[in-house]
Amino acid sequence: MMQFMLLFSRQGKLRLQKWYVAHADKVKKKITRELISTILARKPKMCSFLEYKESKIVYKRYASLYFCCAIEQEDNELLTLEIIHRYVELLDKYFGSVCELDIIFNFEKAYFILDELLVGGEIQETSKKNVLKAIAAQDVLQEDETPQGFFEDHGLG
């Protein structure tokens, strides 16, 4: 089971975090700080797996973002890399070549996509098509809830 997923930039700025195991905020911050500094210090040719306390860390860099997951000792690292890659593919499909700014300005969509893919640290949906359908349905719902002309009606447009 995945314990958490972190997305951070090459500058060490945390962009997204999803925790599947309960920790105090202080502990989360400590783990995050330690992992970001450890991963950023590693050379590009080094292995994408490392031991951290009782967990295994699996990470992958895509453009300017690092995707980092903690898994249990008995979990499959290659499957975790595949899950990371699937998440990046979904983000790419949705945003059209995702970049760090897409995550910053549309973090709620990034979380929604992650929640469609993973639930409780376990893969929920393997079909990219089904995940993208759920996201499209959510976008339609969101558009329906936003009143048309609201800003104009209230002298804000």
Side-chain angles (χ1 to χ4, degrees):
M1 181 184 98
M2 191 177 296
Q3 297 168 0
F4 59 82
M5 180 184 279
L6 306 173
L7 266 71
F8 56 91
S9 69
R10 286 185 305 196
Q11 293 76 34
K13 300 275 189 216
L14 187 62
R15 298 301 182 202
L16 182 141
Q17 60 179 330
K18 184 72 174 188
W19 296 81
Y20 300 106
V21 176
H23 292 292
D25 283 344
K26 194 175 181 179
V27 174
K28 287 180 186 179
K29 285 181 179 143
K30 183 177 188 278
I31 292 170
T32 302
R33 198 173 42 250
E34 287 176 0
L35 284 176
I36 289 174
S37 61
T38 301
I39 291 169
L40 289 176
R42 291 171 66 87
K43 297 196 176 0
K45 296 280 186 202
M46 292 176 87
C47 178
S48 293
F49 313 135
L50 55 109
E51 299 289 323
Y52 179 78
K53 299 184 179 178
E54 294 89 46
S55 304
K56 284 192 278 191
I57 302 300
V58 178
Y59 70 92
K60 180 93 172 110
R61 180 177 161 195
Y62 288 90
S64 66
L65 284 173
Y66 284 88
F67 293 72
C68 170
C69 297
I71 58 174
E72 294 171 1
Q73 286 292 338
E74 60 276 359
D75 287 344
N76 186 327
E77 301 94 338
L78 296 177
L79 182 60
T80 305
L81 271 178
E82 195 59 38
I83 291 169
I84 291 170
H85 187 71
R86 178 59 48 104
Y87 182 47
V88 171
E89 286 178 323
L90 287 165
L91 291 170
D92 268 346
K93 280 258 197 259
Y94 184 79
F95 291 112
S97 189
V98 69
C99 68
E100 189 175 347
L101 288 175
D102 292 322
I103 304 295
I104 293 168
F105 292 115
N106 300 289
F107 63 90
E108 70 285 344
K109 288 292 179 201
Y111 278 112
F112 185 78
I113 293 168
L114 185 59
D115 290 343
E116 285 297 313
L117 182 66
L118 296 169
V119 170
E122 301 285 347
I123 191 90
Q124 172 182 280
E125 181 58 73
T126 56
S127 166
K128 282 189 280 189
K129 190 188 292 185
N130 288 347
V131 171
L132 291 168
K133 267 195 235 175
I135 296 161
Q138 180 67 25
D139 285 348
V140 168
L141 276 175
Q142 198 170 13
E143 285 171 19
D144 289 348
E145 288 177 5
T146 306
Q148 297 299 320
F150 173 83
F151 293 105
E152 291 81 13
D153 294 346
H154 292 86
L156 302 171

